[in-house]
Amino acid sequence: EVQLWESGGGLVQPGGSLRLSCTASGFTFTDYALSWVRQAPGKGLEWVSAISRGADTIYYADSVKGRFSTSRDNYKNTLYLQLNSLRAEDTAVYFCAKADYSSFFNYWGQGTLVTVSS
Amino acid sequence: IVMTQSPATLSVSPGERATLSCRASQSFSANLAWYQQKPGQAPRLLIYGTSTRATGIPTRFSGSGSGTEFTLTINNLQSEDFAVYYCQQYSNWPLTFGGGTKVEIK
């Protein structure tokens, strides 16, 4: 059974940093690209970042480019999202999602809440 | 690519049909997916490649369209189908989602 489990969310002040983790199981981690998708309270889904199987290609949404950094550890079956220079508008539930052979998402974690507030 | 969904809210009676629209700001191939999300839950993949149902998705869900106009149809709405639905294009980077359509009980 495919499982994705996010952790690392919490309350952080504007300008602060946080690192999210997503631990995966139930599939061959190195065979699939992964993404981060976020959802602000009461709002829709926003794709944040994607990383290829070998981490040689990484994409970011314009809204986070230069502030967020995605990486993966293929030995630990873990995906990471480093969030820097956080703003109030970054407040959201952050989901990790497993891409299928293309860039749609057939499995999602349950999400971790990041709240940016003073 | 900007994805626009309509209507924002759709009121439907159980057993009826719901038709959800997703319009793209530019034309692309069949790389469109639909997701269902219920309160407090992660999204669930329903449709990919415009019209292919994901594993375990009932046949009452169907997708169609091409170019800039895509549709999700839900026939014989069941109580468990009342939720928010999102379309997503994966033809171009950045990946983009529509704003969602809430299907509510009439």
Side-chain angles (χ1 to χ4, degrees):
Chain A
E1 179 191 6
V2 172
Q3 291 191 326
L4 300 166
W5 187 262
E6 302 93 340
S7 60
L11 175 63
V12 61
Q13 292 188 336
S17 297
L18 213 54
R19 188 176 84 155
L20 308 183
S21 300
C22 171
T23 302
S25 63
F27 65 99
T28 304
F29 191 74
T30 52
D31 282 353
Y32 296 94
L34 298 163
S35 272
W36 290 99
V37 177
R38 69 183 180 183
Q39 186 169 37
K43 302 298 184 182
L45 302 171
E46 181 189 14
W47 171 79
V48 172
S49 178
I51 186 167
S52 63
R53 295 178 297 174
D56 52 320
T57 302
I58 304 175
Y59 295 100
Y60 296 98
D62 286 345
S63 58
V64 306
K65 200 173 293 182
R67 300 187 300 122
F68 290 10
S69 176
T70 296
S71 61
R72 62 191 292 166
D73 186 330
N74 284 346
Y75 295 100
K76 295 183 177 179
N77 284 9
T78 302
L79 171 71
Y80 302 100
L81 183 66
Q82 177 69 40
L83 295 76
N84 297 328
S85 304
L86 281 161
R87 307 166 179 166
E89 55 265 34
D90 296 318
T91 294
V93 173
Y94 286 73
F95 297 99
C96 65
K98 170 186 168 291
D100 204 300
Y101 63 89
S102 187
S103 297
F104 60 89
F105 309 116
N106 54 354
Y107 290 96
W108 298 67
Q110 283 305 299
T112 186
L113 176 63
V114 172
T115 303
V116 184
S117 174
S118 55
Chain B
I1 300 176
V2 176
M3 307 300 292
T4 302
Q5 290 185 241
S6 61
T9 304
L10 188 59
S11 298
V12 186
S13 299
E16 291 187 340
R17 172 186 296 171
T19 302
L20 288 66
S21 174
C22 176
R23 175 175 293 178
S25 62
Q26 63 188 75
S27 180
F28 59 88
S29 64
N31 293 338
L32 184 105
W34 290 93
Y35 302 88
Q36 176 193 69
Q37 189 180 32
K38 297 179 180 180
Q41 296 185 15
R44 177 174 73 143
L45 177 68
L46 298 175
I47 301 283
Y48 62 92
T50 297
S51 60
T52 302
R53 277 185 300 277
T55 303
I57 301 304
T59 56
R60 65 179 182 273
F61 290 91
S62 63
S64 63
S66 64
T68 62
E69 300 284 344
F70 300 88
T71 300
L72 175 69
T73 301
I74 313 170
N75 289 307
N76 186 23
L77 266 160
Q78 304 295 299
S79 58
E80 61 266 30
D81 301 335
F82 293 96
V84 180
Y85 293 83
Y86 295 94
C87 61
Q88 178 226 337
Q89 68 80 21
Y90 52 98
S91 184
N92 288 5
W93 298 96
L95 307 181
T96 46
F97 290 90
T101 292
K102 181 180 181 180
V103 177
E104 64 176 24
I105 300 175
K106 186 175 182 180

